[in-house]
């Protein structure tokens, strides 16, 4: 009994020492608003409505700043939507049309007429019967094609899965980062911020500030209507634009029939995503930017336990991005063994072009 009591005492002492070194719950400090149009609209809406309620400052100046901030955000969203629609119509659809025609012609030649029509509109699309392991696939026909026809087939990104899947993974991670920011803002503004009946005391002095006379303020309380307005004006549009951009980006990158252009298109797509930062840097005055820098949000997670779930939790965002890529492209296990994803750039893709293009690319691009 004495030994058992001593063991329990030692175990409790070890737990106490461990908690002293690594606390079980970490309280996170207040977080910064992002220096972009989403953070600007949040700052202006809360700050100016608070000053209205307190009857402080010049009312017209607050109205102008609030209107300017919301107008900039709406303009950014309109520009992004217009750009995305034009990219979809003028760039993406043409690229999809071109590789569909190239792949359909390839199927007709290497299967020597043994094929089935899978679509007749807007032009006939054919797929070979039996696939790579079937009796009708003749890879030698590919080597008899002229160099231009071979290049049209082997520059289709789906013929080189490691390359296109890596690019898509990085692009998806870029969009997932925006989703994560929107999720954190939702928890900071809607969930963790107290609900109040008036904006009179919505902002308080930041207790985490390094000095007592700091101008930093924290958004601590919001009315239900302001929370709803911020959700509809800031969080929801951000999720929608990012999701739309993710879909168009995946479609365009898979349809781009040139490997170097795939990388260039990925950079161009990020330009659309970063339009909110560009307009902020160009159009926002210093005083407004100063107020934004001194406005803090409640953390998205007030406390977090020191656990394995927390340490590995952020990794699930990368796992989600990887699942999106595999779900979109599919998986190729070997000749005749594959699972197609949800992409419809090349419907009923049989991975036969991948088989014949492996050797062609290795020889053609050898240096």
């Amino acid at each position: 009994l004495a030994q058992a009591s001593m063991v329990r005492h030692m175990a409790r002492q070890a737990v106490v020492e461990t908690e002293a070194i690594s606390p079980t719950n970490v309280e996170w400090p207040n977080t910064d608003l992002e220096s972009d149009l989403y953070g600007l609209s949040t700052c202006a809406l809360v700050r100016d409505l608070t000053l209205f309620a307190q009857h402080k400052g010049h009312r017209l100046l607050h109205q102008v700043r609030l209107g300017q901030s919301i107008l900039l955000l709406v303009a950014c969203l309109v520009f992004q939507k217009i750009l995305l629609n034009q990219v979809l119509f003028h760039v993406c659809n043409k690229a999809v049309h071109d590789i569909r025609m190239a792949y359909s012609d390839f199927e007709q030649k290497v299967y020597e007429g043994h094929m089935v029509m899978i679509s007749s509109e807007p032009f006939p699309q054919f797929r070979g019967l039996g696939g790579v392991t079937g009796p009708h696939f003749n890879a030698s026909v590919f080597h008899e094609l002229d160099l231009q026809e071979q290049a049209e087939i082997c520059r289709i990104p789906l013929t080189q899965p490691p390359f296109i899947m890596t690019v898509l993974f990085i692009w998806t991670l870029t969009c997932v980062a925006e989703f994560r920011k929107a999720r954190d803002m939702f928890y900071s503004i809607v969930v963790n911020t107290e609900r109040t009946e008036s904006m009179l005391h919505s902002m308080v002095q930041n207790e985490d500030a390094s000095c007592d006379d700091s101008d930093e303020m924290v958004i601590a309380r919001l009315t239900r209507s302001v929370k709803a307005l911020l959700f509809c004006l800031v969080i929801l549009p951000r999720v929608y634009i990012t999701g739309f951009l993710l879909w168009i980006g995946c479609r365009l990158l898979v349809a781009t029939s040139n490997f170097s252009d795939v990388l260039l298109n990925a950079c161009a797509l990020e330009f659309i995503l970063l339009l909110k930062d560009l307009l902020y840097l160009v159009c926002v005055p210093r005083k407004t930017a100063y107020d934004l820098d001194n406005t803090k949000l409640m953390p998205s997670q007030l406390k977090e336990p020191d656990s394995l779930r927390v340490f590995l939790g952020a990794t699930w965002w990368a796992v989600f991005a990887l699942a999106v890529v595999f779900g979109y492209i599919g998986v190729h296990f070997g000749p005749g063994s594959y699972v197609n994803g949800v992409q419809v750039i090349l419907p009923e893709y049989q991975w036969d072009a991948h088989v014949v293009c492996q050797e062609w690319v290795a020889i053609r691009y050898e240096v």
Side-chain angles (χ1 to χ4, degrees):
L1 290 175
Q3 289 179 347
S5 177
M6 184 179 296
V7 169
R8 287 196 298 270
H9 174 73
M10 293 175 64
R12 285 195 297 269
Q13 186 67 25
V15 170
V16 171
E17 293 177 356
T18 302
E19 289 181 349
I21 298 174
S22 180
T24 56
N25 284 291
V26 177
E27 293 188 8
W28 292 111
N30 300 316
T31 60
D32 297 328
L33 276 170
E34 294 179 75
S35 297
D36 58 20
L37 294 185
Y38 294 117
L40 173 67
S41 298
T42 303
C43 173
L45 193 64
V46 176
R47 271 186 175 266
D48 290 323
L49 289 180
T50 301
L51 292 173
F52 286 155
Q54 296 173 349
H55 301 287
K56 290 183 178 180
H58 198 293
R59 191 174 186 86
L60 179 60
L61 291 179
H62 298 317
Q63 291 173 343
V64 170
R65 182 172 69 171
L66 180 57
Q68 180 193 46
S69 302
I70 295 177
L71 184 62
L72 279 174
L73 179 59
V74 172
C76 176
L77 295 173
V78 171
F79 288 152
Q80 287 179 316
K81 190 64 169 66
I82 291 175
L83 276 173
L84 289 175
N85 288 337
Q86 296 304 309
V87 167
L88 179 63
F89 182 75
H90 293 292
V91 183
C92 188
N93 288 349
K94 179 186 180 301
V96 171
H97 175 274
D98 291 346
I99 72 165
R100 281 180 178 176
M101 288 198 63
Y103 185 66
S104 182
D105 291 341
F106 166 79
E107 293 286 285
Q108 294 181 64
K109 291 173 181 177
V110 297
Y111 287 93
E112 301 179 321
H114 300 87
M115 55 200 175
V116 60
M117 182 186 295
I118 63 168
S119 175
S120 60
E121 297 293 338
F123 58 88
Q125 294 187 63
F126 299 95
R127 296 295 181 267
L129 294 174
V132 177
T133 58
H136 306 300
F137 180 71
N138 187 358
S140 62
V141 174
F142 171 79
H143 300 289
E144 297 172 1
L145 301 176
D146 61 60
L147 187 61
Q148 182 64 31
E149 290 179 308
Q150 291 176 343
E152 286 181 0
I153 294 300
C154 292
R155 287 173 182 165
I156 295 176
L158 286 174
T159 63
Q160 305 300 321
F163 172 75
I164 188 58
M165 294 183 81
T166 302
V167 175
L168 280 184
F169 176 66
I170 296 173
W171 168 242
T172 305
L173 276 181
T174 304
C175 295
V176 165
E178 287 294 310
F179 287 134
R180 185 177 182 182
K181 291 176 183 177
R183 175 256 186 194
D184 290 344
M185 182 172 280
F186 172 80
Y187 275 95
S188 294
I189 293 176
V190 179
V191 178
N192 293 337
T193 303
E194 295 179 20
R195 195 172 70 191
T196 183
E197 298 302 323
S198 170
M199 293 292 292
L200 188 63
H201 303 292
S202 64
M203 303 190 72
V204 298
Q205 191 74 25
N206 184 20
E207 297 178 356
D208 299 331
S210 56
C211 54
D212 295 335
D213 59 347
S214 173
D215 294 332
E216 291 184 359
M217 303 293 288
V218 182
I219 302 175
R221 305 174 189 87
L222 291 173
T223 63
R224 180 179 297 178
S225 58
V226 172
K227 284 188 177 185
L229 184 59
L230 287 172
F231 176 78
C232 296
L233 186 65
V234 176
I235 300 173
L236 201 58
R238 187 174 199 168
V239 173
Y240 169 75
I241 288 293
T242 304
F244 193 30
L245 190 57
L246 174 61
W247 172 71
I248 288 182
C250 290
R251 185 176 175 86
L252 176 60
L253 295 176
V254 172
T256 302
S257 58
N258 190 303
F259 299 135
S260 58
D261 287 345
V262 170
L263 298 176
L264 292 176
N265 285 340
C267 295
L269 289 166
E270 190 178 17
F271 150 74
I272 301 176
L273 191 64
L274 297 180
L275 187 59
K276 57 184 175 59
D277 302 272
L278 176 63
L279 290 176
Y280 175 83
L281 292 174
V282 173
C283 301
V284 175
R286 289 186 178 181
K287 178 60 173 67
T288 304
Y290 176 81
D291 289 339
L292 175 61
D293 292 338
N294 286 282
T295 303
K296 307 297 179 182
L297 287 176
M298 303 289 288
S300 59
Q301 296 290 332
L302 299 177
K303 294 182 180 181
E304 282 189 331
D306 193 8
S307 65
L308 188 63
R309 180 185 64 83
V310 171
F311 288 124
L312 298 180
T315 309
W316 287 108
W317 292 100
V319 174
F320 170 73
L322 196 62
V324 169
V325 173
F326 279 106
Y328 189 77
I329 296 294
V331 183
H332 179 249
F333 302 103
S337 178
Y338 58 87
V339 176
N340 278 330
V342 299
Q343 64 85 17
V344 292
I345 291 95
L346 291 179
E348 299 186 30
Y349 179 59
Q350 302 189 96
W351 299 87
D352 40 13
H354 166 68
V355 173
V356 298
C357 285
Q358 287 292 91
E359 181 183 357
W360 186 89
V361 169
I363 296 174
R364 180 66 181 171
Y365 297 159
E366 184 179 5
V367 294

